[in-house]
Amino acid sequence: MNMHLWVAFLGASVVISLSPGAGAIASMSTGLRCGLKRGYWNIFGLQIGLLLQIAIVAIGLGAVLAESEVAFSAIKWFGVAYLVYLGIRQWRAAPTEIAEAPPIADRGISMLGRGLLVNASNPKAVVFMLAVLPQFIDTSAALPPQYLIIAATMVAVDAAVMTGYTSLASRVLKVMRSQRQQVTMNRTFAGLFFFAAAFLATVRRSNPI
């Protein structure tokens, strides 16, 4: 991959990562409840899920997903159900005494798993990558090094953006003192998860974006 092509891909990666989606919502939700330091577990999980998506496209399974209604629907509805679960969990989250102590998050491995599932259960992202990544691949050159560059670029950009979302939300912890404020914010993020689930439910194979 030459420098000109890489710069173009870098720009595309920034736009894709900044676009509001389930990953951004999960990052802000985690930052709100757990702070930035523990929020890195979620960010790491999101990046593992992103690498899995890239690997699926690289080995050709993305084409199968794009062509198979059954496979696409199965993963899509799993993703919808998981986002609904996250929304319910956020809605029912108990407020914490932030003025006295920082909130205690779930185990790091659990947060990592949730981040992974948020990205891995989104077939729309895989089909989108299947449509976008080939535009930045030089078929006359070796493919593995190019996919490694693509993966490293996307993960670096997405990790930085998700860190920004998490950090932004974590700052809200410093001003949210009352339980009523926390409940309102929890339910706002729950609504965003429900909205993301509803949006994913409308996605069709013929409309990968």
Side-chain angles (χ1 to χ4, degrees), residues 28-126:
M28 290 187 287
S29 172
T30 302
L32 176 69
R33 297 188 61 221
C34 311
L36 177 60
K37 185 176 181 179
R38 291 188 60 81
Y40 280 116
W41 284 100
N42 172 73
I43 295 169
F44 186 41
L46 288 171
Q47 302 322 305
I48 295 175
L50 179 59
L51 286 173
L52 179 60
Q53 292 173 340
I54 295 172
I56 287 173
V57 173
I59 64 179
L61 293 180
V64 175
L65 186 62
E67 294 298 327
S68 172
E69 182 69 39
V70 174
F72 186 90
S73 295
I75 297 177
K76 180 184 80 171
W77 289 110
F78 173 78
V80 170
Y82 190 66
L83 288 173
V84 169
Y85 160 76
L86 291 178
I88 294 173
R89 186 174 180 275
Q90 188 73 38
W91 184 279
R92 299 174 62 184
T96 57
E97 295 296 335
I98 295 176
E100 298 179 5
I104 299 176
D106 293 338
R107 291 186 305 166
I109 193 67
S110 297
M111 298 168 68
L112 184 148
R114 284 198 295 272
L116 189 158
L117 282 174
V118 165
N119 269 349
S121 63
N122 186 357
K124 178 177 75 77
V126 176

Side-chain angles (χ1 to χ4, degrees), residues 128-147:
F128 180 78
M129 285 188 189
L130 186 65
V132 172
L133 294 190
Q135 301 178 45
F136 300 95
I137 294 293
D138 181 1
T139 56
S140 65
L143 296 181
Q146 295 184 74
Y147 275 113

Side-chain angles (χ1 to χ4, degrees), residues 1-13 132-141 146 149-150 153:
M1 178 180 290
N2 60 48
M3 182 59 67
H4 177 75
L5 197 60
W6 179 80
V7 170
F9 180 72
L10 177 63
S13 297
V132 172
L133 294 190
Q135 301 178 45
F136 300 95
I137 294 293
D138 181 1
T139 56
S140 65
Q146 295 184 74
I149 293 172
I150 283 173
T153 301

